[in-house]
PDB file of all heavy atoms in Angstrom:
ATOM      1  N   ASP E 310      36.007  95.487  93.841  1.00 98.00           N
ATOM      2  CA  ASP E 310      36.604  94.118  93.838  1.00 98.00           C
ATOM      3  C   ASP E 310      35.438  93.246  93.597  1.00 98.00           C
ATOM      4  O   ASP E 310      34.223  93.703  93.654  1.00 98.00           O
ATOM      5  CB  ASP E 310      37.121  93.924  95.352  1.00 98.00           C
ATOM      6  CG  ASP E 310      37.432  92.487  95.610  1.00 98.00           C
ATOM      7  OD1 ASP E 310      38.105  91.884  94.832  1.00 98.00           O
ATOM      8  OD2 ASP E 310      36.927  91.856  96.587  1.00 98.00           O
ATOM      9  N   ILE E 311      35.637  91.927  93.337  1.00 98.00           N
ATOM     10  CA  ILE E 311      34.486  90.997  93.115  1.00 98.00           C
ATOM     11  C   ILE E 311      34.135  90.152  94.311  1.00 98.00           C
ATOM     12  O   ILE E 311      33.113  90.183  94.819  1.00 98.00           O
ATOM     13  CB  ILE E 311      34.797  90.176  91.766  1.00 98.00           C
ATOM     14  CG1 ILE E 311      34.833  91.060  90.501  1.00 98.00           C
ATOM     15  CG2 ILE E 311      33.796  89.078  91.651  1.00 98.00           C
ATOM     16  CD1 ILE E 311      35.121  90.340  89.156  1.00 98.00           C
ATOM     17  N   ASP E 312      35.195  89.283  94.562  1.00 98.00           N
ATOM     18  CA  ASP E 312      34.911  88.236  95.651  1.00 98.00           C
ATOM     19  C   ASP E 312      34.645  88.781  96.985  1.00 98.00           C
ATOM     20  O   ASP E 312      35.497  89.516  97.576  1.00 98.00           O
ATOM     21  CB  ASP E 312      35.970  87.142  95.547  1.00 98.00           C
ATOM     22  CG  ASP E 312      35.948  86.406  94.244  1.00 98.00           C
ATOM     23  OD1 ASP E 312      34.829  86.129  93.690  1.00 98.00           O
ATOM     24  OD2 ASP E 312      37.079  86.266  93.702  1.00 98.00           O
ATOM     25  N   GLU E 313      33.507  88.464  97.488  1.00 98.00           N
ATOM     26  CA  GLU E 313      33.111  88.960  98.812  1.00 98.00           C
ATOM     27  C   GLU E 313      32.878  90.399  98.898  1.00 98.00           C
ATOM     28  O   GLU E 313      32.873  91.035 100.040  1.00 98.00           O
ATOM     29  CB  GLU E 313      34.093  88.451  99.973  1.00 98.00           C
ATOM     30  CG  GLU E 313      33.829  87.029 100.411  1.00 98.00           C
ATOM     31  CD  GLU E 313      33.694  85.894  99.225  1.00 98.00           C
ATOM     32  OE1 GLU E 313      34.624  85.719  98.727  1.00 98.00           O
ATOM     33  OE2 GLU E 313      32.459  85.588  99.081  1.00 98.00           O
ATOM     34  N   THR E 314      32.866  91.026  97.745  1.00 98.00           N
ATOM     35  CA  THR E 314      32.429  92.524  97.599  1.00 98.00           C
ATOM     36  C   THR E 314      31.228  92.599  96.786  1.00 98.00           C
ATOM     37  O   THR E 314      30.189  93.205  97.250  1.00 98.00           O
ATOM     38  CB  THR E 314      33.622  93.314  96.927  1.00 98.00           C
ATOM     39  OG1 THR E 314      34.746  93.233  97.898  1.00 98.00           O
ATOM     40  CG2 THR E 314      33.232  94.719  96.732  1.00 98.00           C
ATOM     41  N   VAL E 315      31.111  91.893  95.608  1.00 98.00           N
ATOM     42  CA  VAL E 315      29.916  91.878  94.831  1.00 98.00           C
ATOM     43  C   VAL E 315      29.439  90.491  94.674  1.00 98.00           C
ATOM     44  O   VAL E 315      28.186  90.202  94.532  1.00 98.00           O
ATOM     45  CB  VAL E 315      30.018  92.574  93.426  1.00 98.00           C
ATOM     46  CG1 VAL E 315      30.347  94.088  93.625  1.00 98.00           C
ATOM     47  CG2 VAL E 315      30.958  92.017  92.542  1.00 98.00           C
ATOM     48  N   LEU E 316      30.267  89.536  94.716  1.00 98.00           N
ATOM     49  CA  LEU E 316      29.806  88.136  94.605  1.00 98.00           C
ATOM     50  C   LEU E 316      30.110  87.330  95.963  1.00 98.00           C
ATOM     51  O   LEU E 316      31.139  87.505  96.525  1.00 98.00           O
ATOM     52  CB  LEU E 316      30.519  87.329  93.541  1.00 98.00           C
ATOM     53  CG  LEU E 316      30.163  87.729  92.097  1.00 98.00           C
ATOM     54  CD1 LEU E 316      30.881  86.812  90.934  1.00 98.00           C
ATOM     55  CD2 LEU E 316      28.571  87.675  91.836  1.00 98.00           C
ATOM     56  N   ASN E 318      30.902  84.079  97.643  1.00 98.00           N
ATOM     57  CA  ASN E 318      31.436  82.607  97.447  1.00 98.00           C
ATOM     58  C   ASN E 318      31.370  81.823  98.789  1.00 98.00           C
ATOM     59  O   ASN E 318      32.150  80.841  98.850  1.00 98.00           O
ATOM     60  CB  ASN E 318      32.961  82.732  97.053  1.00 98.00           C
ATOM     61  CG  ASN E 318      33.048  83.624  95.734  1.00 98.00           C
ATOM     62  OD1 ASN E 318      32.689  83.103  94.605  1.00 98.00           O
ATOM     63  ND2 ASN E 318      33.585  84.793  95.778  1.00 98.00           N
ATOM     64  N   VAL E 369      37.833  95.073  89.605  1.00 97.00           N
ATOM     65  CA  VAL E 369      39.212  94.686  89.608  1.00 97.00           C
ATOM     66  C   VAL E 369      39.410  93.521  90.503  1.00 97.00           C
ATOM     67  O   VAL E 369      39.101  93.557  91.798  1.00 97.00           O
ATOM     68  CB  VAL E 369      40.016  95.836  90.186  1.00 97.00           C
ATOM     69  CG1 VAL E 369      41.543  95.491  90.178  1.00 97.00           C
ATOM     70  CG2 VAL E 369      39.907  97.115  89.230  1.00 97.00           C
ATOM     71  N   SER E 370      39.716  92.323  89.950  1.00 97.00           N
ATOM     72  CA  SER E 370      39.675  91.104  90.703  1.00 97.00           C
ATOM     73  C   SER E 370      41.033  90.288  90.510  1.00 97.00           C
ATOM     74  O   SER E 370      41.701  90.382  89.656  1.00 97.00           O
ATOM     75  CB  SER E 370      38.552  90.247  90.127  1.00 97.00           C
ATOM     76  OG  SER E 370      38.667  88.900  90.608  1.00 97.00           O
ATOM     77  N   ASN E 371      41.297  89.551  91.652  1.00 95.00           N
ATOM     78  CA  ASN E 371      42.486  88.699  91.613  1.00 95.00           C
ATOM     79  C   ASN E 371      42.230  87.247  91.193  1.00 95.00           C
ATOM     80  O   ASN E 371      42.960  86.362  91.428  1.00 95.00           O
ATOM     81  CB  ASN E 371      43.323  88.844  92.969  1.00 95.00           C
ATOM     82  CG  ASN E 371      44.058  90.041  92.996  1.00 95.00           C
ATOM     83  OD1 ASN E 371      44.408  90.678  91.940  1.00 95.00           O
ATOM     84  ND2 ASN E 371      44.470  90.518  94.217  1.00 95.00           N
ATOM     85  N   LYS E 414      47.043  95.344  93.373  1.00 96.00           N
ATOM     86  CA  LYS E 414      46.139  95.915  92.298  1.00 96.00           C
ATOM     87  C   LYS E 414      46.593  97.286  91.831  1.00 96.00           C
ATOM     88  O   LYS E 414      45.920  97.896  91.065  1.00 96.00           O
ATOM     89  CB  LYS E 414      44.732  96.004  92.910  1.00 96.00           C
ATOM     90  CG  LYS E 414      44.100  94.569  93.107  1.00 96.00           C
ATOM     91  CD  LYS E 414      42.717  94.711  93.597  1.00 96.00           C
ATOM     92  CE  LYS E 414      42.083  93.284  93.597  1.00 96.00           C
ATOM     93  NZ  LYS E 414      40.652  93.219  94.178  1.00 96.00           N
ATOM     94  N   PHE E 431      35.375  99.927  96.356  1.00 98.00           N
ATOM     95  CA  PHE E 431      34.726  98.975  97.243  1.00 98.00           C
ATOM     96  C   PHE E 431      35.529  97.741  97.303  1.00 98.00           C
ATOM     97  O   PHE E 431      36.094  97.284  96.352  1.00 98.00           O
ATOM     98  CB  PHE E 431      33.381  98.596  96.648  1.00 98.00           C
ATOM     99  CG  PHE E 431      32.376  99.788  96.618  1.00 98.00           C
ATOM    100  CD1 PHE E 431      32.429 100.675  95.540  1.00 98.00           C
ATOM    101  CD2 PHE E 431      31.411  99.926  97.521  1.00 98.00           C
ATOM    102  CE1 PHE E 431      31.523 101.801  95.517  1.00 98.00           C
ATOM    103  CE2 PHE E 431      30.502 101.037  97.525  1.00 98.00           C
ATOM    104  CZ  PHE E 431      30.623 101.860  96.524  1.00 98.00           C
ATOM    105  N   GLY E 432      35.646  97.185  98.532  1.00 98.00           N
ATOM    106  CA  GLY E 432      36.486  96.026  98.713  1.00 98.00           C
ATOM    107  C   GLY E 432      36.341  95.345 100.088  1.00 98.00           C
ATOM    108  O   GLY E 432      35.715  96.026 100.977  1.00 98.00           O
ATOM    109  N   ASP E 433      36.761  94.112 100.195  1.00 98.00           N
ATOM    110  CA  ASP E 433      36.700  93.434 101.528  1.00 98.00           C
ATOM    111  C   ASP E 433      38.013  93.302 102.063  1.00 98.00           C
ATOM    112  O   ASP E 433      38.184  92.730 103.167  1.00 98.00           O
ATOM    113  CB  ASP E 433      35.923  92.017 101.304  1.00 98.00           C
ATOM    114  CG  ASP E 433      36.717  91.108 100.536  1.00 98.00           C
ATOM    115  OD1 ASP E 433      37.061  91.455  99.360  1.00 98.00           O
ATOM    116  OD2 ASP E 433      37.234  90.052 101.080  1.00 98.00           O
ATOM    117  N   GLN E 434      39.087  93.844 101.415  1.00 98.00           N
ATOM    118  CA  GLN E 434      40.438  93.830 101.889  1.00 98.00           C
ATOM    119  C   GLN E 434      41.077  95.104 101.595  1.00 98.00           C
ATOM    120  O   GLN E 434      40.720  95.697 100.550  1.00 98.00           O
ATOM    121  CB  GLN E 434      41.210  92.677 101.195  1.00 98.00           C
ATOM    122  CG  GLN E 434      40.574  91.298 101.339  1.00 98.00           C
ATOM    123  CD  GLN E 434      41.596  90.161 101.092  1.00 98.00           C
ATOM    124  OE1 GLN E 434      42.659  90.203 101.391  1.00 98.00           O
ATOM    125  NE2 GLN E 434      40.979  89.112 100.291  1.00 98.00           N
ATOM    126  N   ASP E 437      42.376  96.110  98.182  1.00 98.00           N
ATOM    127  CA  ASP E 437      41.544  96.490  97.170  1.00 98.00           C
ATOM    128  C   ASP E 437      41.484  97.962  96.909  1.00 98.00           C
ATOM    129  O   ASP E 437      40.989  98.558  95.909  1.00 98.00           O
ATOM    130  CB  ASP E 437      40.034  96.096  97.459  1.00 98.00           C
ATOM    131  CG  ASP E 437      39.864  94.532  97.540  1.00 98.00           C
ATOM    132  OD1 ASP E 437      40.616  93.889  96.772  1.00 98.00           O
ATOM    133  OD2 ASP E 437      39.101  94.132  98.443  1.00 98.00           O
ATOM    134  N   ASN E 469      34.654  90.633 105.819  1.00 98.00           N
ATOM    135  CA  ASN E 469      34.885  89.238 105.370  1.00 98.00           C
ATOM    136  C   ASN E 469      35.662  88.537 106.490  1.00 98.00           C
ATOM    137  O   ASN E 469      36.854  88.609 106.580  1.00 98.00           O
ATOM    138  CB  ASN E 469      35.650  89.271 104.062  1.00 98.00           C
ATOM    139  CG  ASN E 469      35.985  87.735 103.612  1.00 98.00           C
ATOM    140  OD1 ASN E 469      35.486  86.803 104.338  1.00 98.00           O
ATOM    141  ND2 ASN E 469      36.584  87.641 102.571  1.00 98.00           N
ATOM    142  N   TYR E 472      38.072  84.854 105.186  1.00 98.00           N
ATOM    143  CA  TYR E 472      39.463  84.843 104.694  1.00 98.00           C
ATOM    144  C   TYR E 472      39.909  86.237 104.279  1.00 98.00           C
ATOM    145  O   TYR E 472      39.104  87.115 104.275  1.00 98.00           O
ATOM    146  CB  TYR E 472      39.583  83.812 103.392  1.00 98.00           C
ATOM    147  CG  TYR E 472      38.838  84.485 102.183  1.00 98.00           C
ATOM    148  CD1 TYR E 472      39.571  85.219 101.320  1.00 98.00           C
ATOM    149  CD2 TYR E 472      37.572  84.174 101.896  1.00 98.00           C
ATOM    150  CE1 TYR E 472      38.838  85.679 100.156  1.00 98.00           C
ATOM    151  CE2 TYR E 472      36.870  84.676 100.812  1.00 98.00           C
ATOM    152  CZ  TYR E 472      37.578  85.434  99.926  1.00 98.00           C
ATOM    153  OH  TYR E 472      36.992  85.951  98.818  1.00 98.00           O
ATOM    154  N   GLY E 473      41.140  86.282 103.989  1.00 97.00           N
ATOM    155  CA  GLY E 473      41.711  87.630 103.606  1.00 97.00           C
ATOM    156  C   GLY E 473      43.019  87.808 104.084  1.00 97.00           C
ATOM    157  O   GLY E 473      43.568  87.080 104.822  1.00 97.00           O
TER     158      GLY E 473
HETATM  159 MG1   MG O 239      37.532  90.256  97.719  1.00 65.00          MG
END
Side-chain angles (χ1 to χ4, degrees):
D310 167 55
I311 293 181
D312 296 316
E313 278 49 71
T314 296
V315 297
L316 290 185
N318 299 289
V369 179
S370 171
N371 279 340
K414 294 181 170 179
F431 296 79
D433 65 304
Q434 305 199 35
D437 295 327
N469 182 0
Y472 69 89

